[in-house]
Amino acid sequence: MKESTASSSRKRKSWAKWTIHLFPIPALIVYGMFVLYPIVAALSYSFFEWKGMARGGFIGFQNFVTLFTTEPYSSMFWNAFKHNVLYFVLQMVVMNGLAFFLAFIIYQKVKGAAFFKAAFFLPRLLSVIVVGFLWKLILNPNFGTLNVILEKLGLETLQKAWLGDPGTALIAIILVNCWFGLGFGVLIFLAGFQGIPSELVEAAKLDGAKGFTLLRTIYLPLMVPSIMIMGILTFIQSFEAFELVYAMQGSMGEPYYSTDTLAVFFYRLAFGSSTASGATAIGLGSALATVLFLFILVCTTVFLRLANKRDVQM
């Protein structure tokens, strides 16, 4: 009887052990359908000729060659790529720099720190589309809040058609994105500051370190992992920029493609526009999506290896 009970108990434990492995299956199915399948499909589509929505014959790397060597596709690709690079650089300098500074101030346990954390993160709770339309109204040259405030302050010379001027349109969108993502950066950096052992800080203070010296010698080296994380996330987000640009300037990257990004360019190619040739639009769009995916994958892998190498050295 005891042997039968022990055998039954072992079977139940064995079954329970194997049952645990079944729980990830639904998530894997969803991930495969909505992430892996589109990636594989885009890669395969890029090697075929397309006649509208009908797939034609296999043409190898011709879509990639067309994308990089045939006008207007090649010039539009590099124009959009340049804008994505600017997107990344400005976000790293403005958004992450300001987030680091604000996180450092909150870390000093200033009065109302909890309120500031919530206030900085609040925009992140809004939809990107809502944020885009809201700021489009604020930046309106006729009745927008920004120009009205400038007029009230007697700064009429600074008034602009912010989204209608090719020189300011992309900068305005990037700064709006910085406002939107600032709170997330503050939380990441604040978590990094709070993970620094207080003993190290106190020891540095006893040795006479203070102000900028303390920040340079103690805080910055120990904050490198958080800075690397935000750098990688900012890089990925910058080269996937689409929703905010689309909400504020549409699919043509107005004015005169001055706000075009690779994701917006892909949207035009894949779903049709005046710049898509029809027969090869899906193939060219898939080729662009593949190039963008591989570029982000390779750069992110390099960044992660550098971050891991630094962690090992430390």
Side-chain angles (χ1 to χ4, degrees), residues 4-257:
S4 176
T5 303
S7 177
S8 178
S9 177
R10 282 195 300 270
K11 287 182 180 179
R12 284 197 300 270
K13 289 181 180 179
S14 178
W15 171 249
K17 182 176 67 175
W18 285 104
T19 303
I20 293 174
H21 298 284
L22 299 177
F23 288 106
I25 291 179
L28 290 175
I29 292 175
V30 174
Y31 183 80
M33 290 175 59
F34 294 100
V35 178
L36 294 181
Y37 174 74
I39 292 174
V40 175
L43 178 61
S44 65
Y45 292 167
S46 64
F47 295 112
F48 289 87
E49 181 182 9
W50 289 81
K51 299 177 181 179
M53 297 296 293
R55 192 175 74 178
F58 179 81
I59 57 174
F61 290 96
Q62 185 57 48
N63 284 321
F64 294 91
V65 174
T66 301
L67 180 66
F68 286 107
T69 61
T70 303
E71 293 294 341
Y73 305 113
S74 60
S75 60
M76 295 183 75
F77 174 87
W78 291 114
N79 177 63
F81 181 81
K82 177 182 67 177
H83 293 159
N84 281 105
V85 172
L86 180 61
Y87 218 107
F88 171 64
V89 172
L90 280 184
Q91 284 203 115
M92 283 296 296
V93 174
V94 178
M95 184 181 73
N96 291 345
L98 185 58
F100 186 92
F101 174 72
L102 293 174
F104 183 70
I105 292 177
I106 294 174
Y107 172 68
Q108 303 303 313
K109 298 178 180 174
V110 296
K111 189 176 181 180
F115 167 77
F116 287 121
K117 282 191 291 185
F120 292 141
F121 193 76
L122 188 61
R124 191 75 183 188
L125 302 178
L126 300 175
S127 166
V128 180
I129 302 299
V130 171
V131 170
F133 280 110
L134 173 66
W135 276 95
K136 191 173 183 179
L137 293 174
I138 294 174
L139 298 174
N140 187 283
N142 298 318
F143 55 81
T145 306
L146 180 57
N147 279 349
V148 171
I149 292 175
L150 291 175
E151 182 181 0
K152 296 295 183 182
L153 295 176
L155 301 174
E156 292 88 349
T157 55
L158 298 180
Q159 291 179 323
K160 286 182 177 293
W162 300 99
L163 297 178
D165 185 347
T168 60
L170 182 62
I171 303 297
I173 293 175
I174 296 173
L175 293 179
V176 170
N177 198 84
C178 291
W179 172 83
F180 175 70
L182 179 65
F184 181 77
V186 169
L187 291 183
I188 293 295
F189 288 131
L190 183 58
F193 278 120
Q194 292 173 340
I196 296 175
S198 59
E199 296 83 2
L200 292 177
V201 178
E202 293 300 327
K205 289 181 178 178
L206 290 174
D207 289 339
K210 58 182 179 179
F212 180 75
T213 302
L214 185 64
L215 179 65
R216 179 177 57 84
T217 58
I218 300 298
Y219 287 119
L220 275 178
L222 295 176
M223 284 294 292
V224 168
S226 297
I227 295 173
M228 291 293 292
I229 290 172
M230 277 306 300
I232 292 171
L233 293 177
T234 302
F235 174 80
I236 295 173
Q237 189 273 328
S238 297
F239 278 86
E240 291 181 342
F242 173 78
E243 296 98 330
L244 192 61
V245 178
Y246 182 81
M248 297 182 71
Q249 296 295 80
S251 63
M252 299 300 292
E254 298 290 354
Y256 309 114
Y257 303 110

